Amino acid sequence: SDYSSAQVFDVNTGEQVASFRTRLWESQYAEAIWALGAWFNWAYIVPEVQGGYGRAMLDRLILAVTEPITRPAYPLERIYNRRDETIPSKPRYEDLGWQTNGTTKPQLIAALSAAFYEGSIFVYDPVTLQELRTFVKKGIKMEASTGRHDDTVISLALAVIGIGRAPRQQWRTERDQPKA
């Protein structure tokens, strides 16, 4: 019953530039995320990998595919890595993706809350805005109201993590900047 959801943000302005929400099998979702990431200049992605479903999606995402189409593996350096990125090393498979659990979910929601409080993100998608309106705290749990979904809220929070960790393009001279 859950949706597969993704959010795309401009890391420099904090503006939402795309959102994706549908029901797909893990392999189909991986192909959609691969295409979305490639379309947006190999976007930095933060996949949620708790449980087997997220890990299955990640496996397909980083696997080069030859049938029925040919595509390369998604670049590992463009996928969120839980290791300290200030220490130069090649990303390890076991460190890729965000593991949501009882400890990290409050951190995830706190990062989202801080981004709204600071005014550092701008969300335009009506489905995401509606899910935000029905996202509540139930005791110690944070989740959608009964009968509602929170998939875009979680993907939005993951995008906020990505905005903080994504490498920024450095323009050396005016000549190197993209043409308007």
Side-chain angles (χ1 to χ4, degrees):
S1 65
D2 284 342
Y3 286 92
S4 299
S5 177
Q7 307 278 345
V8 181
F9 278 77
D10 181 314
V11 296
N12 296 312
T13 66
E15 286 193 84
Q16 183 184 48
V17 296
S19 63
F20 178 82
R21 179 180 180 258
T22 191
R23 288 186 171 112
L24 294 172
W25 293 104
E26 294 79 24
S27 61
Q28 296 169 313
Y29 181 57
E31 295 305 318
I33 294 301
W34 188 96
L36 195 61
W39 179 263
F40 285 99
N41 300 316
W42 297 110
Y44 186 81
I45 63 171
V46 185
E48 185 178 29
V49 294
Q50 108 268 356
Y53 297 114
R55 192 56 67 184
M57 188 282 289
L58 182 62
D59 289 345
R60 179 72 179 198
L61 185 66
I62 63 177
L63 177 70
V65 175
T66 55
E67 297 295 332
I69 58 169
T70 301
R71 69 151 176 83
Y74 204 85
L76 292 181
E77 64 278 1
R78 305 298 295 170
I79 301 173
Y80 174 83
N81 180 348
R82 290 183 306 280
R83 293 182 70 190
D84 183 355
E85 292 185 346
T86 61
I87 302 169
S89 65
K90 186 176 180 178
R92 298 182 325 167
Y93 172 80
E94 58 271 14
D95 295 324
L96 296 175
W98 179 274
Q99 288 184 330
T100 305
N101 56 42
T103 302
T104 62
K105 188 171 183 181
Q107 295 169 347
L108 191 62
I109 301 308
L112 177 59
S113 180
F116 276 117
Y117 180 77
E118 296 163 359
S120 60
I121 61 170
F122 303 94
V123 179
Y124 306 112
D125 174 53
V127 173
T128 303
L129 293 170
Q130 181 57 41
E131 284 192 11
L132 283 164
R133 286 183 193 99
T134 59
F135 191 78
V136 297
K137 188 171 187 177
K138 296 179 181 177
I140 60 169
K141 293 178 79 177
M142 295 164 281
E143 60 191 12
S145 298
T146 304
R148 302 293 185 151
H149 293 277
D150 64 2
D151 308 295
T152 62
V153 174
I154 300 303
S155 65
L156 178 61
L158 292 168
V160 167
I161 298 298
I163 290 169
R165 291 283 291 271
R168 302 301 196 268
Q169 176 103 26
Q170 299 294 320
W171 306 112
R172 291 184 295 274
T173 67
E174 192 175 302
R175 181 175 44 97
D176 294 334
Q177 294 183 14
K179 307 296 184 250

